[in-house]
Structures are given as structure tokens and as C-alpha cells.
Amino acid sequence: MTAIIETNRLRLRKMNMRDKENLLKIFSDPETMRYYPNVKDQEETIRWINWTINNYHTFRVGLWIVEDKHTGEFLGQCGVVPQKIDGMVQMEIGYLFIREKWGSGYATEAAKACRDYGFEKLKVDQLVSIIDPANHASVRVAEKIGMKLDKSIIKWGKDLSLYIIKAR
Ligand SMILES: CC(C)(COP(=O)(O)OP(=O)(O)OC[C@H]1O[C@@H](n2cnc3c(N)ncnc32)[C@H](O)[C@@H]1OP(=O)(O)O)[C@@H](O)C(=O)NCCC(=O)NCCS
């Protein structure tokens, strides 16, 4: 399938219903979903895919599937996701990878590419990440792509940290 973004090791492409089983590897793992309200079942995964496809149509972006560009192996999802913050839609860099692939630098590599895509292709003037401050791995990914802690916000009923990077 056509790549939206390619990096040294990764291909990011649009999500579709055929990705359901692979996405369930992420969504059914309680450790991976620790900072989300709950794990997701088949039905919720289908809703997630439909929400993502709708984002592609409405905002031209959304979460993309990340795969090994040489083998095609599924690794996770990363992309640019519209999120309402203080009543305004902002573009968030989001990332979730399957647990067995953590620690290989994939999230950082994919998120960096999404940051560049946001500034160069979408021409947004800033990108954000909404992160549970206890989610150290996620905070680290945000820092490694140049994001800085902006402020605390309440979203999804939780106190979360808003990380921001502005276009140069
Ligand atoms: C967050 C996540 C995407 C990171 O994926 P990853 O591919 O392992 O990330 P990377 O390999 O690029 O490494 C990220 C950095 O975090 C660090 N890190 C990883 N786990 C950590 C932990 N538990 N505590 C502190 N730092 C951690 C790594 O060491 C690395 O930093 P370094 O290069 O300075 O050593 C992955 O843990 C994940 O999918 N988590 C579940 C979903 C999630 O919570 N997503 C974020 C929602 S906001």
C-alpha cells in the first residue's frame, strides 16, 4: 500500500479494516493500554478504525499504521491526530506500539517523521502531545522529538501534561 511517510526503517501508511487483528495486539494488552481508560475489544477496535478513517477524510490526517519497510511486519501506529484542547482543535502526534517492539527506537523514529510531516506538508504552526505524566516512555519520546512541557490540562477526566513544539 502507498506510503504516507518513509523513514530509514519504517513505512507509515493509512489504516484500514484489514488491520483489525494487528491493532488488537496493541489494544488487548493491559500493559500497553495502562494509560488509557481500558483495553479495547473487537467492536471498539472497529470503532477506532472508523474514527481514524473519518479523520483522514475530515482533516487529511490521522493515526497511520507503522510497519517494517523491508519485511512489512506490523509494529504499531503513529500519526497526527486532531484533538480538542481548550475548545480548539489542535494537531497531536500520537503513538502506540506493540509491546514486544518497545525499546527499538521505533516510536521516536516514527514521531520525528510525523513532526516533520506536520510542519512541512500540513504547514501547522505547532504540534502537541497529550501525555499522562506517569507515562515516562511517552514523555521521553516527546522530549526526544523536541517537545517541551507547556502546561497541565484536564482531558478525558484526567490531569494530563500538554507537550508542545512550534514550527521554526
Ligand atoms: C510510548 C511508546 C510508544 C514508546 O515506544 P518505543 O518504541 O519503546 O520508544 P523508543 O524506543 O523510541 O524510546 C523512547 C525513549 O523512552 C525511554 N523509555 C522507554 N521506556 C521507559 C520507561 N518505562 N521509563 C523511562 N523511559 C523509558 C527509552 O529509553 C527511550 O529514551 P532514550 O533513547 O533516551 O533511552 C511505547 O511505550 C508504547 O506504545 N506505550 C503504550 C502506548 C502509549 O502509552 N502511548 C503514548 C500515549 S500518550
Side-chain angles (χ1 to χ4, degrees):
M1 197 183 276
T2 325
I4 304 283
I5 299 174
E6 275 197 357
T7 67
N8 275 350
R9 295 181 292 172
L10 309 174
R11 173 169 52 236
L12 279 67
R13 60 151 177 89
K14 280 187 177 170
M15 187 182 293
N16 62 63
M17 263 321 147
R18 290 186 299 281
D19 296 308
K20 187 181 70 184
E21 294 307 319
N22 277 329
L23 289 169
L24 268 165
K25 291 180 194 162
I26 294 178
F27 291 143
S28 63
D29 179 347
E31 177 60 23
T32 307
M33 298 306 283
R34 192 158 150 200
Y35 298 102
Y36 289 79
N38 43 262
V39 295
K40 292 187 196 298
D41 62 14
Q42 290 244 11
E43 207 174 294
E44 289 164 307
T45 303
I46 291 171
R47 271 209 292 277
W48 180 272
I49 297 172
N50 280 330
W51 167 69
T52 298
I53 292 170
N54 189 49
N55 281 335
Y56 297 156
H57 292 140
T58 312
F59 298 97
R60 293 187 303 133
V61 287
L63 281 167
W64 297 302
I65 294 293
V66 183
E67 49 196 24
D68 183 310
K69 90 170 176 192
H70 302 293
T71 64
E73 186 186 11
F74 174 84
L75 302 171
Q77 41 183 337
C78 184
V80 181
V81 189
Q83 297 284 8
K84 224 175 198 174
I85 301 163
D86 299 336
M88 267 175 49
V89 174
Q90 302 222 32
M91 291 298 167
E92 181 194 31
I93 300 182
Y95 31 80
L96 300 97
F97 283 74
I98 45 175
R99 183 141 55 106
E100 68 199 55
K101 300 295 178 186
W102 290 0
S104 311
Y106 290 139
T108 304
E109 187 170 327
K112 239 179 220 167
C114 289
R115 174 202 66 193
D116 294 346
Y117 185 94
F119 291 143
E120 287 159 22
K121 295 267 188 341
L122 305 171
K123 311 273 186 214
V124 295
D125 53 16
Q126 71 173 32
L127 288 158
V128 303
S129 274
I130 306 163
I131 305 177
D132 187 319
N135 190 348
H136 300 298
S138 181
V139 167
R140 198 65 202 113
V141 173
E143 288 172 347
K144 288 181 72 169
I145 69 164
M147 289 190 159
K148 298 266 185 303
L149 177 62
D150 182 55
K151 60 179 180 180
S152 294
I153 58 166
I154 296 176
K155 191 160 170 73
W156 302 301
K158 285 172 75 177
D159 284 322
L160 298 171
S161 297
L162 184 70
Y163 281 78
I164 287 192
I165 183 167
K166 291 187 187 296
R168 271 181 247 158

